């Protein structure tokens, strides 16, 4: 029998097996939730990296199954064309938008067959524009072309090399290798883009290099950053699988976390963490030194209810998905 993480148990309690059917609806958001519409493309900043306040720029999305709607958006990635990809997990699809939130395309639909998904959690884009999806409840990785044509998938349920127990986060390095976290398998596995298993990082536990329900993964500067959600910290490995460092602990203070789900690294090496349980985003140096944070629990612009995924555009703007607000918010680098 599969072992589910805390997040998955909550999701399973909410989502029926038909969670991605056309009849699925999410409980309405608070009355104070503002109307959300796409805005003009974010203005490029003079400097693409910031270490202080990150002003709110724009947002898009609302609950539902339409072209600019979501049901629990989690993972995010940016394509070489500048478009933003979001795993619309509850609707069992991946959505593609321009940087200003204009709908472009949809990949996938609910199911277990070719090109179908059952709760996609993470997404990554390679240099050719191919899209890789961590297909959580199908225990596999799905691959599509940039135009949304299904290419292949790999993986089955299990704990062996190349098998998955709820794959959640996925990232790609500059050499084209994929890194996939397993939220109940408590590890990160490395693959070629054709699905050949290369190595595994981590085991279950709370020691250095161990995980409890790891979720998002990011790769930058030869390092692999993992949101170790259950241990309330960020774990860092080299791309060859050697444990390098970790930081963070349970709490609400600066540099502390409550169930962090998302992690991203900007072009200057700053590390951003979606501190989900504290409804905020925190920023650190590559060495883990706390720099700043923004967001509080709320429905207003710049606030969060369940921040989850993180990605960046070429101008350094920061994109944050919010699984409960069913939206994407954009913030300036400075």
């Amino acid at each position: 029998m599969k072992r589910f993480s805390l997040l998955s148990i909550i999701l399973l309690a909410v989502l029926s097996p038909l969670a991605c059917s056309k009849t699925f609806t999410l409980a309405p958001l608070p009355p104070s939730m503002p109307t959300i519409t796409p805005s003009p493309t974010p203005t490029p900043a003079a400097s693409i990296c910031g270490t202080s306040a990150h002003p709110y720029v724009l947002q898009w999305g609302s609950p539902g199954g339409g072209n600019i709607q979501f049901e629990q958006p989690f993972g995010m990635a940016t394509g070489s064309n500048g478009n933003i990809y979001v795993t619309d997990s509850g609707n069992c699809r991946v959505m593609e938008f321009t940087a200003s939130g204009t709908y472009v395309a949809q990949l996938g639909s609910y199911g277990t067959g070719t090109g179908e998904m059952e709760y996609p959690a993470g997404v990554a884009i390679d240099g050719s524009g191919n899209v890789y999806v961590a297909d959580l409840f199908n225990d596999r990785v799905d691959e599509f072309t940039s135009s949304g044509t299904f290419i292949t998938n790999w993986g089955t349920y299990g704990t062996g090399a190349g098998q998955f127990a709820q794959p959640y986060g996925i990232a790609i390095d500059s050499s084209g290798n994929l890194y996939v976290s397993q939220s109940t398998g408590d590890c990160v596995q490395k693959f070629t883009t054709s699905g050949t298993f290369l190595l595994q990082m981590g085991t279950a536990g709370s020691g250095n290099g161990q995980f409890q329900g790891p979720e998002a993964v990011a790769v930058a500067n030869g390092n692999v950053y993992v949101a170790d959600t259950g241990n309330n910290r960020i774990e860092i490995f080299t791309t060859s699988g050697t444990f390098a460092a970790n930081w963070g602990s349970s709490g609400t203070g600066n540099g502390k976390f409550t169930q962090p789900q998302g992690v991203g690294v900007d072009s200057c090496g700053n590390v951003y963490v979606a501190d989900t349980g504290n409804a905020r985003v925190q920023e650190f140096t590559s060495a883990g030194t706390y720099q700043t944070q923004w967001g509080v629990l709320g429905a207003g612009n710049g606030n969060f209810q369940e921040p989850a995924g993180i990605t960046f555009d070429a101008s350094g703007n920061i994109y944050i998905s919010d699984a409960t607000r069913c939206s994407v918010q954009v913030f300036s680098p400075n």
Side-chain angles (χ1 to χ4, degrees):
M1 178 177 291
K2 296 185 183 183
R3 177 168 61 88
F4 295 97
S5 64
L6 175 61
L7 171 62
S8 300
I9 292 171
I10 295 171
L11 293 173
L12 285 170
V14 174
L15 300 175
S16 71
L18 297 178
C20 303
S21 70
K22 294 181 179 179
T23 59
F24 174 73
T25 58
L26 191 69
L29 292 174
S32 59
M33 182 68 186
T35 300
I36 299 173
T37 56
S39 301
T41 302
T43 301
S47 171
I48 65 171
C49 297
T51 59
S52 56
H54 295 283
Y56 166 86
V57 178
L58 64 91
Q59 62 184 298
W60 70 84
S62 61
N67 288 345
I68 310 182
Q69 294 184 310
F70 303 107
E71 299 291 1
Q72 297 182 317
F74 280 98
M76 303 186 75
T78 304
S80 58
N81 59 0
N83 287 344
I84 306 299
Y85 293 76
V86 185
T87 59
D88 185 11
S89 304
N91 284 319
C92 296
R93 61 187 181 179
V94 175
M95 305 291 284
E96 180 183 358
F97 301 90
T98 67
S100 60
T102 300
Y103 170 80
V104 176
Q106 168 185 323
L107 290 73
S109 59
Y110 171 69
T112 60
T114 298
E116 296 179 326
M117 309 171 189
E118 191 171 357
Y119 213 84
V123 61
I125 318 294
D126 69 17
S128 299
N130 295 320
V131 182
Y132 300 84
V133 183
D135 193 352
L136 188 86
F137 291 141
N138 281 328
D139 293 302
R140 67 190 184 192
V141 170
D142 299 313
E143 181 184 356
F144 298 83
T145 67
S146 58
S147 61
T149 301
F150 174 78
I151 299 176
T152 189
N153 58 41
W154 72 84
T156 58
Y157 175 72
T159 58
Q163 293 184 306
F164 296 116
Q166 295 186 357
Y168 192 102
I170 187 167
I172 192 165
D173 66 19
S174 58
S175 298
N177 298 306
L178 290 167
Y179 301 78
V180 185
S181 68
Q182 299 189 56
S183 58
T184 61
D186 294 319
C187 68
V188 173
Q189 295 189 83
K190 180 179 180 180
F191 299 86
T192 67
T193 51
S194 60
T196 300
F197 172 81
L198 297 175
L199 58 87
Q200 175 177 314
M201 307 173 191
T203 57
S206 57
N208 291 341
Q210 294 186 309
F211 300 112
Q212 289 188 19
E215 297 195 355
V217 181
V219 183
N221 305 316
N223 289 323
V224 182
Y225 298 81
V226 186
D228 187 6
T229 308
N231 282 322
N232 295 301
R233 64 188 182 186
I234 299 299
E235 293 261 84
I236 307 173
F237 294 78
T238 66
T239 53
S240 60
T242 301
F243 170 77
N246 57 40
W247 71 77
S249 59
S250 179
T252 60
N254 295 347
K256 295 181 180 293
F257 305 113
T258 301
Q259 296 285 299
Q261 292 182 8
V263 63
V265 183
D266 69 16
S267 61
C268 298
N270 298 311
V271 182
Y272 298 75
V273 181
D275 187 6
T276 308
N278 288 323
R280 65 186 180 184
V281 174
Q282 297 194 67
E283 179 186 349
F284 301 84
T285 67
S286 59
T289 301
Y290 170 84
Q291 296 192 123
T292 190
Q293 64 179 278
W294 73 94
V296 296
L297 180 64
N301 293 344
N303 293 331
F304 301 109
Q305 292 180 346
E306 190 181 350
I310 301 175
T311 194
F312 309 87
D313 66 19
S315 298
N317 293 298
I318 308 154
Y319 296 72
I320 310 291
S321 66
D322 193 309
T324 296
R325 288 180 60 147
C326 298
S327 68
V328 171
Q329 295 192 77
V330 187
F331 299 86
S332 171
N334 49 34

